Amino acid sequence: GAVVSQHPSWVICKSGTSVKIECRSLDFQATTMFWYRQFPKQSLMLMATSNEGSKATYEQGVEKDKFLINHASLTLSTLTVTSAHPEDSSFYICSARVAGDFPGELFFGEGSRLTVL
Amino acid sequence: GQNIDQPTEMTATEGAIVQINCTYQTSGFNGLFWYQQHAGEAPTFLSYNVLDGLEEKGRFSSFLSRSKGYSYLLLKELQMKDSASYLCAVSPGYSSASKIIFGSGTRLSIRP
């Protein structure tokens, strides 16, 4: 199946700093990628839909100025957590479908565990 | 609004059969997915149903009734490695850009 790579897997940062997480589709093109957030023992909460070449669509309650999403190419989307605080500590997972494949399986990255001190 | 319900936790015995139910109410419907997620890992795809009926894939089967807004995942010959969370998810939209909405997940524990 298609592979989605996410980097970094683990990141620890100080409060007030910014952290960038990359999501790459390695062997397919993805016009749309999705960013999820997951707290311990909870399910995946969709944060935003990342569209190549255009602005991301954020879910209600997600601050777009805090969680900056850039989807500059058909294989790369980035999530930047700006001015991170301890409550932003979570497991962030990206996913993607093969472009034009609908409804299609959603392929997930390995996830990035963010800890803000 | 969008609503997907599934039990929070279930326990079953190794070698047995377990059924995990999912009900949904969404603004649109274009398929239901089941994913398995082990602790600390990303979800992995198990099944996809868009038409009514039962889809069988090895030890796992998934059923869908669109008129009832209902699905279940059936796991047979349970193994210890099946201990994981099982996520029911619905695609309410009609394009490749459409998001997938996840239920809260069912944590399944397998006992020897």
Side-chain angles (χ1 to χ4, degrees):
Chain A
V3 178
V4 175
S5 176
Q6 196 171 332
H7 177 81
S9 301
W10 296 83
V11 58
I12 301 173
C13 69
K14 293 183 179 180
S15 186
T17 61
S18 294
V19 174
K20 180 185 283 188
I21 301 170
E22 292 188 348
C23 179
R24 293 180 184 272
S25 56
L26 296 186
D27 50 2
F28 67 99
Q29 293 183 335
T31 50
T32 304
M33 291 184 176
F34 304 92
W35 286 95
Y36 291 87
R37 181 175 181 174
Q38 187 175 36
F39 291 107
K41 295 188 178 181
Q42 295 186 24
S43 190
L44 301 168
M45 184 195 80
L46 180 65
M47 299 176 66
T49 301
S50 169
N51 303 298
E52 187 266 335
S54 64
K55 292 182 179 180
T57 303
Y58 289 81
E59 294 298 302
Q60 191 173 8
V62 178
E63 299 175 59
K64 58 183 67 177
D65 294 332
K66 180 165 185 66
F67 298 100
L68 300 179
I69 292 173
N70 183 276
H71 194 153
S73 77
L74 289 172
T75 59
L76 174 65
S77 176
T78 61
L79 168 68
T80 301
V81 183
T82 62
S83 186
H85 291 286
E87 58 265 29
D88 298 324
S89 298
S90 188
F91 191 49
Y92 293 87
I93 309 177
C94 71
S95 65
R97 280 197 188 95
V98 175
D101 182 17
F102 182 78
E105 179 181 342
L106 207 60
F107 297 98
F108 284 87
E110 306 94 328
S112 300
R113 187 164 300 284
L114 170 64
T115 302
V116 185
L117 303 176
Chain B
Q2 322 280 27
N3 196 44
I4 301 174
D5 289 317
Q6 51 182 131
T8 304
E9 293 187 22
M10 297 183 71
T11 303
T13 304
E14 190 176 15
I17 299 173
V18 71
Q19 178 175 310
I20 303 174
N21 296 323
C22 171
T23 57
Y24 63 90
Q25 290 178 305
T26 53
S27 56
F29 180 82
N30 212 326
L32 186 144
F33 298 81
W34 284 97
Y35 281 83
Q36 179 192 61
Q37 186 180 25
H38 286 98
E41 299 180 9
T44 56
F45 172 81
L46 290 178
S47 67
Y48 169 71
N49 294 68
V50 68
L51 299 176
D52 290 350
L54 186 69
E55 295 275 347
E56 297 186 73
K57 190 186 296 185
R59 293 190 298 116
F60 293 5
S61 302
S62 57
F63 171 84
L64 175 67
S65 169
R66 289 171 296 172
S67 62
K68 295 181 179 179
Y70 168 70
S71 173
Y72 67 73
L73 179 69
L74 191 71
L75 293 76
K76 303 176 185 176
E77 301 170 16
L78 286 170
Q79 302 174 10
M80 298 303 293
K81 67 178 182 180
D82 296 330
S83 292
S85 286
Y86 291 85
L87 309 176
C88 174
V90 172
S91 178
Y94 297 89
S95 77
S96 59
S98 297
K99 57 191 176 186
I100 291 182
I101 300 170
F102 283 83
S104 56
T106 299
R107 286 196 300 278
L108 175 65
S109 299
I110 308 299
R111 54 176 178 245

